[in-house]
Amino acid sequence: MTPGAALAAVWEHLIVGIPAGWTQRTPGAVGGVTGVPLPTLNGVWAYRNDAEREAVSGLLELVAGAGMPHCLQFAPGCPQLRELGEARGMRRDADVPLMALAGERELRLPDEGDLVIEVLDPEQAAVHAELAAAGFDAPLDAFLRLLTPAVLRRRGVRTYVGKIEGDPVVTGVGVSLESHVGIFNVATLPAHRRRGYAAAVTARAVRDGLGQGARSAWLQSSPAGYSVYEKLGFKTQESWECWIST
C-alpha cells in the first residue's frame, strides 16, 4: 500500500466513527463527509493517477450535495482532475506535501527534555480537541465533532498529550492501519512552540505505530510543520494539489 492509498484508507476508517459521516469509494479515490464545516474535512482524495475523471466527478457531486465546504485533493499526474476542479469553480489552495518515513532506522529521535507524553483514554477526547483548536487557531466545535470518543476507540487510533509540569502543551494522533501509521493533528499551544514538543509527540506516535507492526509512517504536512517533520527523517513522496469549494 502506498502512502496515498493509506491516506484514503485512514479517512474511511475514521469517518465511520463520526455520527454524521459517510464515505464512498471508486477505483483510485475516496469521497467522504464528516459533517464538520471545514473544507479539508469533507471532500474527495484521489491517490492514483489513473483515477477516472467521471468517477471522481460523481464522488465530488455527492460530497457537494451534503452542503458542506469541501475539497478535491489528488496525487501528481492527474491533469484531468485539475480540469474538474476548475470546471466546478473551485479555488486552488496551497499544495499539500505527502511525507513518509520508512522504518525506525530513518527516525531521528528528538530531545524530549522535560516533556511527559501520555496516551489519552478515548473518553478524554475533549482534552485533545481543546489543545488542537488552540494550536491551530480553529473552532473548538470542529475538533469536538471530528475526534469523538467513538472515533478514538477505532482500531489502531492513539491520541497523545504532552505535559510540562502537569500542564498539557502539545497533542497529536497516530493511526495504525495495515502496514502504515498515519500522523494527524499535531498541535502545540502558541506559548510553548519552538521547544521540540511537536517533534517529540510525532516521534512517539511513529515509534508506537512501528512497534505494533507498521513498516512505515506518513503524514500530510502544513507549511509550519514541514521543517519539523523533515528533521525527524520524513521525506516528501508527493505534492498533492488541493482545490477548495467557493
Side-chain angles (χ1 to χ4, degrees):
M1 180 184 290
T2 66
L7 181 154
V10 166
W11 271 113
E12 290 180 306
H13 184 64
L14 295 181
I15 290 176
V16 167
I18 301 172
W22 58 262
T23 64
Q24 187 163 318
R25 178 180 282 268
T26 194
V30 166
V33 169
T34 65
V36 178
L38 294 175
T40 54
L41 300 181
N42 310 284
V44 176
W45 295 266
Y47 56 91
R48 286 203 326 242
N49 59 15
D50 62 350
E52 294 185 2
R53 184 185 190 281
E54 292 307 312
V56 173
S57 178
L59 284 181
L60 200 54
E61 191 70 32
L62 287 174
V63 169
M68 291 280 120
H70 56 277
C71 69
L72 169 63
Q73 294 188 36
F74 51 87
C78 299
Q80 73 279 17
L81 301 187
R82 183 180 306 130
E83 294 167 0
L84 177 59
E86 291 172 344
R88 296 187 64 90
M90 302 177 80
R91 171 181 59 83
R92 184 170 177 177
D93 202 18
D95 291 359
V96 184
L98 179 61
M99 307 181 78
L101 183 151
E104 193 160 359
R105 284 183 297 180
E106 290 194 4
L107 179 63
R108 304 184 195 113
L109 293 176
D111 180 7
E112 295 184 6
D114 295 328
L115 188 72
V116 176
I117 301 174
E118 302 173 357
V119 178
L120 291 173
D121 185 275
E123 303 309 315
Q124 296 174 291
V127 174
H128 170 74
E130 290 169 4
L131 283 167
F136 289 120
D137 191 22
L140 173 59
D141 181 64
F143 289 97
L144 290 171
R145 293 169 63 183
L146 181 67
L147 289 162
T148 64
V151 170
L152 300 189
R153 283 194 293 267
R154 298 286 293 161
R155 174 174 56 89
V157 179
R158 292 173 301 279
T159 311
Y160 301 89
V161 61
K163 298 180 178 180
I164 293 293
E165 297 182 351
D167 294 327
V169 299
V170 63
T171 191
V173 177
V175 183
S176 296
L177 200 61
E178 297 188 23
S179 60
H180 295 266
V181 54
I183 311 299
F184 297 86
N185 277 14
V186 178
T188 307
L189 295 180
H192 296 272
R193 290 176 182 162
R194 302 187 183 279
R195 302 180 191 180
Y197 299 156
V201 165
T202 301
R204 169 66 183 274
V206 170
R207 294 182 72 186
D208 284 354
L210 296 175
Q212 293 190 351
R215 294 195 296 272
S216 63
W218 64 268
L219 53 82
Q220 283 189 303
S221 177
S222 65
Y226 189 86
S227 63
V228 173
Y229 304 131
E230 199 172 40
K231 289 175 183 175
L232 286 173
F234 281 87
K235 298 175 183 175
T236 299
Q237 305 298 299
E238 300 172 336
S239 186
W240 283 36
E241 285 192 27
C242 179
W243 291 72
I244 301 294
S245 63
T246 56

